Amino acid sequence: MKNFLSIHDVEDLNNLITGGIIAKRNPFADQLLGKNKTIGLLFFNSSLRTRLSTQKAAQNLGLNVMMMNVGQDSWGLELEEGVVMNGDKAEHVKEAAAVIGRYCDIIAIRSFAELKDREKDYAEHIFQQFKKYSGRPVVNLESATRHPLQSLADCITIEEFRTKQRPKVVLTWLPHFKPLPQAVANSFCEWMNHMDVELVVTHPEGYDLAPEFVGKAQVIYDQKKALEGADFVYGKNWSSYQHYGQVLTQDYSWMIDEAKMALTDNGKFMHCLPVRRNMKVADEILDGHRSLVIDQAANREWSAQAVLKEILVGQLEE
Ligand code: CP
């Protein structure tokens, strides 16, 4: 594997899932793989799980880890080409990416959607520029459109907890008062489209995700109908894609509680975290036997380790 920006960089999904499960069983088997190599973790946005799990995974592989909150710890980065840099951005990404590429063997980046300009967000400029100017493999720690390390952890979790060959997986929109990106929902759909599952997406009208992410999923606007017989219920809020970045409704009747989960086939509840209790999901679900949210978060370490291992092995073969 050269870069890890989306599922399109994955050669064999089953192998990658198995790689995560093997890393979980024996975390230090590849301790020498990253010896004398360095990964740089660049955060343009906040994080708990991604930051700690990726650092831990890298250390399990023997990598040195350097971490930076871009714009807080470093100079503000200019991304536009050909601009007169007389504003608040002191450094251009062309130099910054090239310099970081000299210090690091792998560069991992988190940079969320700004939710102002859809075309700009969906072009993923920061990731493309780091790929172009750093000369190093780039790993997506959540971009404007995708969160592939989360999606891989979700695949590992479903693989561990499924009781049927082809489970029904429902992605449901949850209410929120703030506009949030579509990245987790997009990515979850994209990865589930490559798994042997029956995928259903449910949300209020106006919240349809981009068709390239929905893929072969069935879209049902009636949440209760969508939840019937589900084996896994994946909750997430996202703002509108069509009316880009807007909150069209905060309908709290979309919250997941036990009455909703009773419609499922003894379904499990999943969420990438962080989650706002009793607004998006009721305490009774998060504290009860249905919740897989901690298992998902724990699997972030193994998804990161599986991906970093494939990149390091790829570098050995170059
Ligand atoms: N799920 C997830 O990416 O969590 P953080 O935002 O805390 O990294």
Side-chain angles (χ1 to χ4, degrees):
M1 187 186 288
K2 176 70 179 157
N3 298 285
F4 183 71
L5 298 180
S6 76
I7 196 163
H8 304 299
D9 295 311
V10 177
E11 210 167 284
D12 185 329
L13 175 56
N14 285 332
N15 265 356
L16 199 59
I17 293 171
T18 305
I21 292 168
I22 289 170
K24 187 173 189 169
R25 288 193 196 127
N26 193 359
F28 307 113
D30 299 301
Q31 246 179 338
L32 295 178
L33 203 54
K35 191 173 158 52
N36 297 332
K37 292 198 165 188
T38 299
I39 184 169
L41 306 182
L42 307 182
F43 285 88
F44 288 79
N45 308 97
S46 306
S47 168
L48 186 156
R49 280 145 290 273
T50 304
R51 189 170 176 138
L52 298 183
S53 63
T54 311
Q55 179 169 5
K56 183 107 186 299
Q59 288 168 346
N60 292 347
L61 291 164
L63 282 159
N64 297 312
V65 180
M66 296 200 296
M67 207 172 301
M68 185 181 274
N69 296 312
V70 182
Q72 292 173 43
D73 302 341
S74 67
W75 308 108
L77 279 195
E78 179 59 62
L79 302 172
E80 302 297 328
E81 299 265 350
V83 290
V84 178
M85 286 175 58
N86 58 359
D88 60 348
K89 310 272 176 58
E91 178 149 30
H92 202 279
V93 68
K94 285 187 182 183
E95 284 81 43
V99 169
I100 294 167
R102 297 292 177 97
Y103 301 147
C104 299
D105 301 276
I106 303 172
I107 301 173
I109 304 168
R110 163 166 284 199
S111 175
F112 290 171
E114 289 180 351
L115 296 176
K116 290 177 194 151
D117 179 336
R118 186 170 89 180
E119 204 179 317
K120 197 171 158 195
D121 281 345
Y122 273 62
E124 303 279 22
H125 281 308
I126 291 181
F127 289 83
Q128 295 311 325
Q129 286 174 309
F130 265 88
K131 234 174 101 173
K132 187 169 168 187
Y133 297 119
S134 74
R136 297 296 186 184
V138 175
V139 174
N140 183 343
L141 300 178
E142 189 172 344
S143 67
T145 63
R146 293 174 170 93
H147 195 357
L149 283 177
Q150 178 66 53
S151 304
L152 176 56
D154 299 335
C155 289
I156 293 170
T157 309
I158 288 174
E159 187 57 32
E160 288 177 327
F161 285 90
R162 75 184 161 90
T163 54
K164 294 174 189 164
Q165 179 59 37
R166 193 166 185 270
K168 178 175 176 180
V169 176
V170 179
L171 169 65
T172 180
W173 179 91
L174 302 176
H176 204 307
F177 54 88
K178 268 172 62 177
L180 300 187
Q182 295 100 32
V184 171
N186 281 345
S187 204
F188 183 73
C189 278
E190 192 169 46
W191 285 66
M192 283 303 120
N193 266 287
H194 286 80
M195 295 275 282
D196 187 18
V197 301
E198 178 193 348
L199 180 61
V200 173
V201 183
T202 184
H203 51 72
E205 294 200 30
Y207 280 92
D208 295 76
L209 296 167
E212 65 264 31
F213 293 105
V214 176
K216 62 187 181 207
Q218 188 186 2
V219 178
I220 301 177
Y221 296 118
D222 179 337
Q223 189 194 39
K224 287 183 179 162
K225 191 168 159 40
L227 292 173
E228 284 171 9
D231 298 289
F232 295 93
V233 176
Y234 196 102
K236 184 73 187 86
N237 170 269
W238 61 89
S239 59
S240 177
Y241 173 74
Q242 287 87 7
H243 306 280
Y244 192 63
Q246 288 183 33
V247 174
L248 305 177
T249 176
Q250 297 177 31
D251 186 352
Y252 289 110
S253 73
W254 278 74
M255 184 179 82
I256 292 291
D257 58 13
E258 185 50 38
K260 298 262 181 73
M261 291 301 291
L263 299 167
T264 68
D265 186 5
N266 198 23
K268 298 290 189 190
F269 179 77
M270 300 177 72
H271 191 284
C272 63
L273 301 181
V275 68
R276 289 175 185 258
R277 284 172 172 253
N278 303 313
M279 188 181 91
K280 293 159 92 174
V281 191
D283 279 342
E284 65 201 16
I285 299 301
L286 290 169
D287 297 332
H289 69 282
R290 295 184 185 278
S291 177
L292 297 182
V293 300
I294 305 302
D295 298 281
Q296 278 175 269
N299 280 336
R300 290 294 306 276
E301 181 176 350
W302 315 119
S303 72
Q305 191 160 332
V307 166
L308 294 179
K309 180 179 171 178
E310 283 211 8
I311 290 173
L312 288 168
V313 168
Q315 287 181 332
L316 286 179
E317 289 165 356
E318 273 173 7

